[in-house]
Amino acid sequence: MGALRRVFGPSRKEIWRQLSSEIDARYVDGGFWKGDKVQATHDQWIVTLDTYAVSTGKTTIVFTRMRAPYVNPGGFRFTVYRKGMFSGIGKMLGMQDIEIGDESFDQDFIVKGNDEARVRELLSTQKIRELIARQRDIHFTVKDDEGWFGATFPEGVDELHFHVVGVIKDVERLKVLYELFAETLDQLCRMGAAYKESPNVTL
């Protein structure tokens, strides 16, 4: 085990337990079938970190995700991700890229949303832009529920959602990600795009 640790570094379980301790969260060992997760409480919201796998038939791809259901009274939605080789194709196909007026941020990220003014209001917070920029890979969005195989949310409840390919075993990166969720939920409340009440959803 010592030799493996020297080659591969600390395990996900070690890192996630450390994260739980540092952000005062709960580490949940789900065993072989359910997998482990970290659940942290911020005001009325529960932020959950875990992994999931998608099979392509020939291979299985593992993703790290972070989620936080919340009451979304107006149905405001947004998506932020880093620009890449396919970003230009998306624009040619009619994808709306909202520029927020921060030259560096606009250069690095694609931003979409169903209310341009509210997207700009959300990302007017420098702290949120900085926390997003500190994620080298990011897909940060609002989802209405988790699809066929996940939780179905009550009317008026959506989910703040992050996912990337691979298993994140960098405790500092995970702490920044949790802070991004907390700051975003707080800003959504200040905007009137979220309520500080329990969404009554268990992940």
Side-chain angles (χ1 to χ4, degrees), residues 6-53:
R6 285 194 296 272
V7 173
F8 296 106
S11 68
R12 178 184 68 179
K13 182 171 290 191
E14 288 178 88
I15 293 297
W16 286 20
R17 283 188 184 278
Q18 180 185 344
L19 172 70
S20 300
S21 175
E22 294 189 14
I23 65 173
D24 194 24
R26 184 169 66 103
Y27 178 85
V28 181
D29 191 337
F32 180 78
W33 294 108
K34 290 188 176 181
D36 53 346
K37 60 186 176 182
V38 175
Q39 291 193 309
T41 301
H42 178 69
D43 287 331
Q44 299 298 315
W45 306 293
I46 297 177
V47 181
T48 300
L49 167 71
D50 64 2
T51 60
Y52 68 100

Side-chain angles (χ1 to χ4, degrees), residues 1 39 44 49 51 54 79 102 105 117 126 132 140 163 171:
M1 182 63 72
Q39 291 193 309
Q44 299 298 315
L49 167 71
T51 60
V54 175
T79 299
D102 179 324
F105 192 90
Q126 184 177 355
I132 289 172
F140 188 45
H163 73 269
V171 72

Side-chain angles (χ1 to χ4, degrees), residues 48-87:
T48 300
L49 167 71
D50 64 2
T51 60
Y52 68 100
V54 175
S55 175
T56 63
K58 294 183 178 180
T59 187
T60 299
I61 302 172
V62 178
F63 293 82
T64 297
R65 67 183 170 184
M66 188 171 280
R67 301 168 290 162
Y70 68 98
V71 177
N72 184 359
F76 171 56
R77 304 272 166 76
F78 70 88
T79 299
V80 180
Y81 56 94
R82 281 194 178 275
K83 290 185 178 179
M85 61 185 298
F86 299 111
S87 302

Side-chain angles (χ1 to χ4, degrees), residues 119-136:
V119 168
R120 288 202 175 99
E121 184 178 2
L122 173 67
L123 295 175
S124 68
T125 306
Q126 184 177 355
K127 181 70 170 178
I128 290 178
R129 298 198 306 274
E130 289 175 350
L131 292 168
I132 289 172
R134 290 176 67 182
Q135 296 292 326
R136 60 181 179 271

Side-chain angles (χ1 to χ4, degrees), residues 42 44-47 67-79 114 118 122 140-145 153-161 181 184-189 191-203:
H42 178 69
Q44 299 298 315
W45 306 293
I46 297 177
V47 181
R67 301 168 290 162
Y70 68 98
V71 177
N72 184 359
F76 171 56
R77 304 272 166 76
F78 70 88
T79 299
N114 62 355
R118 279 195 157 186
L122 173 67
F140 188 45
T141 190
V142 174
K143 297 178 64 176
D144 57 356
D145 61 34
F153 300 156
E155 186 71 23
V157 172
D158 288 325
E159 176 184 83
L160 199 59
H161 185 103
F181 268 65
T184 301
L185 288 165
D186 287 343
Q187 175 67 353
L188 288 171
C189 276
M191 294 165 48
Y195 290 160
K196 282 196 175 182
E197 61 183 66
S198 173
N200 295 314
V201 171
T202 301
L203 297 180

